[in-house]
Protein backbone atom coordinates (compact mmCIF):
# COMPACT_ATOMS: atom_id res chain seq x y z
CA UNK A 1 0.00 0.00 0.00
CA UNK A 2 2.99 2.33 0.38
CA UNK A 3 3.00 2.65 -3.41
CA UNK A 4 -0.05 4.89 -3.18
CA UNK A 5 0.80 8.60 -3.52
CA UNK A 6 -1.31 10.05 -0.70
CA UNK A 7 -0.04 9.44 2.84
CA UNK A 8 -2.08 10.09 5.97
CA UNK A 9 0.88 10.59 8.28
CA UNK A 10 -1.25 10.72 11.41
CA UNK A 11 -2.79 7.28 10.82
CA UNK A 12 0.18 5.99 8.77
CA UNK A 13 -2.04 4.87 5.89
CA UNK A 14 -1.65 5.31 2.13
CA UNK A 15 -4.33 6.08 -0.43
CA UNK A 16 -4.70 6.29 -4.20
CA UNK A 17 -6.65 9.55 -3.98
CA UNK A 18 -6.78 12.65 -1.79
CA UNK A 19 -10.51 12.16 -1.22
CA UNK A 20 -9.92 8.62 0.11
CA UNK A 21 -7.56 10.06 2.73
CA UNK A 22 -10.14 12.73 3.66
CA UNK A 23 -12.87 10.08 3.91
CA UNK A 24 -10.70 8.06 6.27
CA UNK A 25 -10.28 11.09 8.55
CA UNK A 26 -14.03 11.73 8.53
CA UNK A 27 -14.69 8.10 9.50
CA UNK A 28 -12.12 8.15 12.32
CA UNK A 29 -13.42 8.70 15.85
CA UNK A 30 -11.22 10.78 18.12
CA UNK A 31 -11.83 11.88 21.69
CA UNK A 32 -9.24 14.64 21.85
CA UNK A 33 -8.10 17.34 19.44
CA UNK A 34 -6.17 15.73 16.59
CA UNK A 35 -4.54 17.23 13.53
CA UNK A 36 -4.60 14.84 10.59
CA UNK A 37 -1.65 15.43 8.30
CA UNK A 38 -2.13 14.31 4.69
CA UNK A 39 0.91 14.51 2.40
CA UNK A 40 0.26 14.42 -1.33
CA UNK A 41 3.08 13.26 -3.60
CA UNK A 42 3.90 15.13 -6.84
CA UNK A 43 1.55 14.37 -9.70
CA UNK A 44 -1.77 15.48 -11.18
CA UNK A 45 -4.91 14.61 -9.23
CA UNK A 46 -8.21 14.94 -11.08
CA UNK A 47 -10.65 15.13 -8.18
CA UNK A 48 -13.34 17.34 -6.71
CA UNK A 49 -12.65 17.11 -2.99
CA UNK A 50 -15.28 17.47 -0.28
CA UNK A 51 -14.52 17.97 3.41
CA UNK A 52 -17.69 17.60 5.49
CA UNK A 53 -16.55 17.37 9.07
CA UNK A 54 -14.41 20.05 10.57
CA UNK A 55 -15.20 19.77 14.26
CA UNK A 56 -13.53 20.78 17.48
CA UNK A 57 -11.62 17.49 17.60
CA UNK A 58 -10.46 17.23 13.97
CA UNK A 59 -8.14 19.51 12.06
CA UNK A 60 -6.65 18.92 8.62
CA UNK A 61 -3.29 19.69 7.02
CA UNK A 62 -3.28 18.81 3.33
CA UNK A 63 0.18 19.41 1.94
CA UNK A 64 1.66 18.94 -1.50
CA UNK A 65 5.20 19.34 -2.75
CA UNK A 66 6.64 20.80 -5.93
CA UNK A 67 4.75 19.29 -8.84
CA UNK A 68 1.54 18.50 -6.92
CA UNK A 69 -1.46 19.71 -8.92
CA UNK A 70 -5.18 19.37 -8.42
CA UNK A 71 -7.45 19.59 -11.42
CA UNK A 72 -10.73 20.15 -9.61
CA UNK A 73 -12.05 21.86 -6.52
CA UNK A 74 -12.01 21.67 -2.75
CA UNK A 75 -15.43 22.13 -1.12
CA UNK A 76 -15.53 22.61 2.65
CA UNK A 77 -19.03 22.04 3.99
CA UNK A 78 -19.02 23.64 7.41
CA UNK A 79 -20.98 21.90 10.10
CA UNK A 80 -19.21 23.06 13.21
CA UNK A 81 -19.73 25.88 15.66
CA UNK A 82 -16.30 25.20 17.11
CA UNK A 83 -13.58 27.71 16.46
CA UNK A 84 -10.54 25.68 17.47
CA UNK A 85 -10.49 23.37 14.45
CA UNK A 86 -8.12 24.27 11.61
CA UNK A 87 -7.63 23.57 7.94
CA UNK A 88 -4.32 24.10 6.16
CA UNK A 89 -4.01 23.64 2.41
CA UNK A 90 -0.36 24.01 1.48
CA UNK A 91 1.73 23.61 -1.65
CA UNK A 92 -1.01 22.58 -4.07
CA UNK A 93 -1.11 23.91 -7.62
CA UNK A 94 -4.73 24.28 -8.71
CA UNK A 95 -5.13 24.09 -12.51
CA UNK A 96 -7.73 24.27 -15.26
CA UNK A 97 -10.84 25.02 -13.26
CA UNK A 98 -14.08 25.31 -15.22
CA UNK A 99 -17.62 26.39 -14.30
CA UNK A 100 -18.62 22.72 -14.34
CA UNK A 101 -16.62 22.23 -11.14
CA UNK A 102 -18.21 25.14 -9.33
CA UNK A 103 -16.23 28.11 -10.71
CA UNK A 104 -13.94 28.64 -7.70
CA UNK A 105 -11.05 26.34 -6.89
CA UNK A 106 -11.70 26.38 -3.13
CA UNK A 107 -15.26 26.87 -1.87
CA UNK A 108 -16.32 27.35 1.74
CA UNK A 109 -19.98 27.20 2.64
CA UNK A 110 -22.11 26.99 5.73
CA UNK A 111 -25.27 25.16 6.59
CA UNK A 112 -27.40 28.29 6.72
CA UNK A 113 -27.10 28.60 10.48
CA UNK A 114 -24.27 29.96 12.59
CA UNK A 115 -21.87 27.20 11.67
CA UNK A 116 -18.62 28.22 10.08
CA UNK A 117 -15.34 26.79 8.97
CA UNK A 118 -12.75 28.66 10.97
CA UNK A 119 -8.99 29.06 11.21
CA UNK A 120 -8.33 28.39 7.53
CA UNK A 121 -4.89 28.86 5.99
CA UNK A 122 -4.16 28.65 2.26
CA UNK A 123 -0.39 28.76 1.89
CA UNK A 124 2.04 28.46 -1.03
CA UNK A 125 -0.72 27.45 -3.46
CA UNK A 126 -1.00 28.55 -7.07
CA UNK A 127 -4.14 29.02 -9.15
CA UNK A 128 -3.76 28.70 -12.92
CA UNK A 129 -6.37 28.37 -15.61
CA UNK A 130 -9.00 30.02 -17.66
CA UNK A 131 -12.54 30.67 -16.60
CA UNK A 132 -15.24 30.85 -19.20
CA UNK A 133 -17.40 33.22 -17.19
CA UNK A 134 -17.35 36.99 -17.50
CA UNK A 135 -15.67 37.81 -14.20
CA UNK A 136 -12.52 35.75 -14.72
CA UNK A 137 -10.64 33.37 -12.48
CA UNK A 138 -12.00 32.91 -8.94
CA UNK A 139 -9.49 31.12 -6.71
CA UNK A 140 -11.54 31.14 -3.48
CA UNK A 141 -15.23 31.59 -2.69
CA UNK A 142 -16.01 32.00 0.99
CA UNK A 143 -19.41 32.20 2.63
CA UNK A 144 -19.48 31.82 6.38
CA UNK A 145 -15.76 31.57 7.07
CA UNK A 146 -14.02 32.99 10.11
CA UNK A 147 -10.29 33.64 10.38
CA UNK A 148 -9.03 32.87 6.87
CA UNK A 149 -5.39 33.54 5.95
CA UNK A 150 -3.97 33.42 2.45
CA UNK A 151 -0.21 33.65 2.20
CA UNK A 152 2.65 32.86 -0.11
Amino acid sequence: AEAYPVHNITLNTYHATIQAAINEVEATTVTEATTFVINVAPGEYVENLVINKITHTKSYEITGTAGTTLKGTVRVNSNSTYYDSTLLINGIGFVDNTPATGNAFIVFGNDGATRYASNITIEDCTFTGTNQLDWGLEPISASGVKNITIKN
Side-chain angles (χ1 to χ4, degrees):
E2 288 186 33
Y4 288 134
V6 181
H7 183 200
N8 180 328
I9 292 175
T10 308
L11 298 174
N12 196 28
T13 55
Y14 292 83
H15 303 275
T17 66
I18 303 167
Q19 186 64 55
I22 292 168
N23 292 348
E24 177 186 40
V25 170
E26 291 183 359
T28 300
T29 301
V30 295
T31 57
E32 59 187 45
T34 304
T35 299
F36 291 89
V37 179
I38 299 171
N39 275 0
V40 183
E44 181 179 81
Y45 298 82
V46 181
E47 304 182 58
N48 288 317
L49 307 177
V50 177
I51 301 173
N52 286 311
K53 297 178 180 175
I54 295 183
T55 68
H56 70 288
T57 57
K58 292 182 184 177
S59 294
Y60 293 75
E61 290 183 11
I62 302 172
T63 301
T65 57
T68 302
T69 60
L70 177 65
K71 189 173 185 178
T73 60
V74 177
R75 167 104 187 150
V76 180
N77 294 322
S78 307
N79 64 353
S80 174
T81 56
Y82 302 102
Y83 301 114
D84 53 353
S85 65
T86 63
L87 170 63
L88 167 66
I89 300 174
N90 183 16
I92 306 287
F94 292 86
V95 296
D96 296 332
N97 193 33
T98 65
T101 57
N103 193 45
F105 289 104
I106 303 174
V107 178
F108 299 99
N110 64 37
D111 67 357
T114 58
R115 301 172 185 267
Y116 302 97
S118 59
N119 303 321
I120 309 297
T121 302
I122 311 299
E123 184 174 6
D124 293 330
C125 292
T126 59
F127 301 91
T128 307
T130 57
N131 189 313
Q132 299 159 1
L133 299 177
D134 294 338
W135 56 82
L137 188 66
E138 183 179 12
I140 299 170
S141 175
S143 170
V145 176
K146 295 188 178 204
N147 302 326
I148 185 167
T149 303
I150 303 168
K151 59 185 176 177
N152 200 5

